[in-house]
């Protein structure tokens, strides 16, 4: 899996180089700039997503919160990702997602082994994206990726790779309604000296209603089950590999505003404790979605 990053980059570079080399022989220097930009728009799809998780409604401070209302040791952070798809065919794409995090909260109480920088490298994804079925009202995609352990957190946890297989369904029963269902299976490939095994499965439902050309309303539910256990079968705490327990289960509501068609900002409220609605476990957050190309 370590070599997948290099293979994807070389493959993408070879295809792009072949395309530009061939076109250069048939295109004059005065046409090259415009033609290259056109080819770039045809071949690449680049979008941006950012999520900021903040404090509880009850107490505004500089840290994220746990689902029991207690304060995390992680300060408020903006998580940034660029989703890059290079179209090899109409349905088959190479996929890459560079990611970084920006700390905007107080770092005085973070763990000693955490990344000390304000801008932190996050894990990047590399893989393939395939559209199996697409109509004006329905679409089904698959994505298979390797998540490279570029972050300090992953290196501290002896993670060698995170292999993810994701299915997503998009249904538009009416032009103003968009319903997205996706599930993601993630397997953590650990280094040889790691003492634990880990995998998880996630189910997410997102419902979006377009109020007008500027405003939309959005609701999301996420249910996450995880297996994180010692790999020593003689340990009394060891569980079967397929044993899973609840990791996350929360609801989010937000109202979005699009100042321009390629940018949407969605402040939201997230209910972390699905068993009990209370201010201590209601967290404020922000999504930013944008289209670059």
């Amino acid at each position: 899996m370590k070599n997948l990053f290099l293979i994807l980059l070389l493959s993408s570079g070879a295809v792009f180089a072949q395309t530009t080399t061939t076109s250069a022989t048939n295109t004059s220097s005065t046409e090259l700039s415009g033609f290259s930009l056109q080819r770039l728009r045809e071949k690449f799809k680049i979008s941006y997503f950012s999520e900021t998780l903040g404090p509880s409604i009850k107490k505004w401070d500089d840290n994220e919160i746990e689902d029991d209302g207690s304060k995390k040791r992680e300060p408020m952070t903006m998580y940034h990702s660029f989703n890059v798809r290079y179209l090899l065919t109409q349905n088959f794409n190479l996929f890459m997602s560079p990611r970084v995090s920006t700390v905007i909260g107080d770092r005085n109480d973070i763990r000693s082994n955490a990344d000390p920088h304000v801008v932190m490298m996050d894990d990047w994804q590399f893989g393939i994206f395939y559209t199996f079925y697409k109509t004006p009202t329905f679409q089904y995609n698959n994505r298979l990726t390797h998540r490279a352990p570029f972050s300090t957190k992953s290196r501290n946890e002896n993670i060698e790779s995170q292999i993810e297989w994701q299915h997503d369904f998009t249904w538009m029963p009416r032009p103003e309604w968009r319903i997205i269902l996706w599930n993601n299976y993630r397997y953590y490939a650990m280094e040889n000296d790691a003492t634990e095994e880990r995998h998880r499965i996630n189910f997410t439902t997102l419902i979006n209603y377009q109020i007008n050309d500027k405003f939309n309303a959005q609701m999301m539910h996420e249910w996450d089950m995880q297996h994180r256990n010692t790999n020593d079968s003689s340990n009394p705490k060891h569980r079967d590999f397929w044993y899973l327990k609840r990791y996350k289960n929360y609801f989010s509501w937000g109202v979005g505003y699009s100042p321009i068609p390629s940018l949407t900002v969605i402040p939201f409220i997230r209910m972390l404790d699905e068993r009990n609605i209370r201010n201590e476990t209601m967290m404020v957050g922000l999504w930013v979605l944008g289209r670059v190309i």
Side-chain angles (χ1 to χ4, degrees):
M1 297 305 296
K2 291 181 177 179
N3 296 324
L4 184 56
F5 169 47
L6 180 60
I7 292 171
L8 290 174
L9 284 182
L10 290 176
S11 299
S12 177
V15 173
F16 188 71
Q18 183 180 3
T19 302
T20 53
T21 301
T22 303
S23 62
T25 61
N26 301 316
T27 308
S28 67
S29 58
T30 57
E31 297 172 337
L32 183 60
S33 176
F35 182 81
S36 299
L37 181 58
Q38 179 183 352
R39 292 292 294 172
L40 185 68
R41 289 173 175 171
E42 290 174 354
K43 288 291 185 180
F44 280 93
K45 292 184 178 180
I46 305 175
S47 59
Y48 167 77
F49 174 75
S50 173
E51 181 178 61
T52 304
L53 302 177
S56 67
I57 293 177
K58 183 175 182 178
K59 184 178 180 181
W60 189 275
D61 56 24
D62 290 332
N63 289 66
E64 300 175 18
I65 60 172
E66 302 280 4
D67 57 6
D68 63 356
S70 61
K71 186 170 71 171
K72 285 186 178 180
R73 296 188 67 173
E74 288 84 4
M76 286 176 59
T77 302
M78 296 180 68
Y79 303 92
H80 312 272
S81 66
F82 288 89
N83 295 325
V84 183
R85 287 163 54 191
Y86 178 79
L87 281 69
L88 294 177
T89 68
Q90 183 177 0
N91 295 327
F92 185 73
N93 304 257
L94 295 180
F95 178 85
M96 180 175 69
S97 180
R99 300 174 178 220
V100 296
S101 301
T102 307
V103 178
I104 58 177
D106 187 6
R107 300 184 61 84
N108 289 330
D109 59 350
I110 64 172
R111 296 174 176 84
S112 59
N113 63 348
D115 192 324
H117 302 95
V118 175
V119 179
M120 303 178 296
M121 181 68 74
D122 208 337
D123 297 334
W124 290 26
Q125 286 181 286
F126 304 91
I128 56 176
F129 183 98
Y130 190 81
T131 300
F132 280 93
Y133 187 76
K134 184 176 182 180
T135 70
T137 59
F138 183 80
Q139 184 168 333
Y140 169 54
N141 307 308
N142 259 213
R143 192 181 74 192
L144 180 64
T145 59
H146 149 66
R147 191 186 289 242
F150 293 163
S151 68
T152 299
K153 183 176 184 296
S154 289
R155 292 196 298 270
N156 288 341
E157 295 181 359
N158 298 312
I159 296 173
E160 190 174 69
S161 172
Q162 297 175 49
I163 300 98
E164 297 186 30
W165 183 22
Q166 179 169 305
H167 308 258
D168 61 81
F169 304 83
T170 301
W171 180 42
M172 297 179 62
R174 294 180 59 86
E176 66 271 20
W177 286 97
R178 183 185 297 269
I179 301 171
I180 304 175
L181 308 173
W182 72 83
N183 80 284
N184 180 292
Y185 177 77
R186 185 189 305 186
Y187 173 76
Y188 293 75
M190 314 298 287
E191 295 178 359
N192 293 332
D193 56 349
T195 59
E196 71 172 16
E197 57 187 20
R198 187 178 179 188
H199 61 91
R200 60 199 284 190
I201 186 168
N202 170 280
F203 297 91
T204 302
T205 302
L206 188 148
I207 301 174
N208 184 284
Y209 177 73
Q210 195 67 37
I211 301 170
N212 53 42
D213 60 344
K214 294 290 185 181
F215 289 94
N216 68 82
Q218 185 164 289
M219 183 188 75
M220 186 177 76
H221 172 252
E222 184 167 349
W223 179 51
D224 208 331
M225 304 290 289
Q226 180 173 232
H227 171 90
R228 187 170 188 174
N229 220 329
T230 174
N231 55 17
D232 180 7
S233 58
S234 63
N235 190 308
K237 295 183 179 181
H238 178 76
R239 297 290 184 271
D240 181 78
F241 181 79
W242 296 111
Y243 172 81
L244 294 163
K245 66 178 182 179
R246 172 184 172 273
Y247 179 56
K248 295 178 181 177
N249 187 9
Y250 54 70
F251 293 88
S252 304
W253 301 271
V255 175
Y257 173 68
S258 300
I260 56 177
S262 59
L263 177 66
T264 303
V265 180
I266 309 177
F268 67 88
I269 295 175
R270 178 168 292 173
M271 186 177 79
L272 297 176
D273 182 3
E274 80 284 358
R275 302 182 185 91
N276 186 14
I277 299 178
R278 52 198 177 102
N279 290 339
E280 291 85 350
T281 56
M282 298 286 282
M283 183 169 64
V284 179
L286 178 70
W287 290 310
V288 179
L289 302 90
R291 179 74 181 269
V292 181
I293 294 179

